Amino acid sequence: TIFALQSCGGKTEKVEETTTTEQVVEVEDNASNEITIESNDQMQYSTNELHVKAGEVTLTLKHTGNMEKAVMGHNLVILKSGTDVNAFGAKAAEAKASDYIPASEEASIVAHTKLIGGGESDTITFTISEPGTYDYICSFPGHLALMKGKLIVE
Ligand code: CU
């Protein structure tokens, strides 16, 4: 990761048109492993893409709305690579007793916040050691259609 920082020097060198993709450019030197994402009464996350580096991550989910948890509850569930998101969501929707975290699917979960209502927030810390792209969703029934995104681990 430090290599990327050094490539951001002042000179404009557009000479290296030789190899691969330009995705490397998106590595930001201010990328933080303390991230905050908001959710609202319109059943939306504030972003559908989160970036961290492999290692320990601290994530805060805020609910900026006013509606109660039972009506417009939100959580953020990070799923392991290869998880069938819709199948997981279907199982989660049945798991009301456990705030829509299905015990039968725990092997598919990297980490999750608790379920929160308007004005609340939850902060979790977890370790994600494998770089890759991970789906995250809100597992409250019906929210998955709008409330989903990608956690990109570099
Ligand atoms: Cu939600």
Side-chain angles (χ1 to χ4, degrees), residues 44-63:
Q44 295 165 328
Y45 284 135
S46 54
T47 179
N48 58 13
E49 200 170 292
L50 295 169
H51 290 256
V52 296
K53 292 176 179 171
E56 189 173 279
V57 177
T58 300
L59 181 148
T60 298
L61 174 68
K62 291 182 179 173
H63 191 320

Side-chain angles (χ1 to χ4, degrees), residues 83 87-95 98 100-109:
T83 301
F88 180 93
K91 284 274 171 58
E94 298 168 0
S98 53
Y100 308 108
I101 300 299
S104 63
E105 307 304 305
E106 265 174 19
S108 300
I109 299 174

Side-chain angles (χ1 to χ4, degrees), residues 3-24:
F3 304 121
L5 301 185
Q6 293 178 335
S7 67
C8 297
K11 295 175 187 171
T12 11
E13 299 175 24
K14 265 290 178 183
V15 191
E16 298 181 38
E17 296 282 352
T18 43
T19 46
T20 63
T21 65
E22 295 191 4
Q23 289 181 338
V24 183

Side-chain angles (χ1 to χ4, degrees), residues 22 25 37-38 44 51-52 56 67 76-77 88 94 98-99 108-109 112 114 121 135 137 145 148:
E22 295 191 4
V25 177
I37 177 171
E38 295 181 347
Q44 295 165 328
H51 290 256
V52 296
E56 189 173 279
M67 295 172 76
L76 191 145
V77 183
F88 180 93
E94 298 168 0
S98 53
D99 280 349
S108 300
I109 299 174
H112 69 86
K114 65 181 185 183
S121 71
D135 289 299
I137 64 164
K148 61 186 169 188

Side-chain angles (χ1 to χ4, degrees), residues 42-45 47-48 72-75 79 85-90 92-93 135-150:
Q42 284 73 47
M43 209 191 293
Q44 295 165 328
Y45 284 135
T47 179
N48 58 13
M72 186 55 70
H74 298 312
N75 62 12
L79 299 171
V85 174
N86 290 320
F88 180 93
D135 289 299
Y136 63 84
I137 64 164
C138 174
S139 68
F140 192 92
H143 288 198
L144 169 58
L146 288 175
M147 299 186 73
K148 61 186 169 188
K150 303 280 186 190

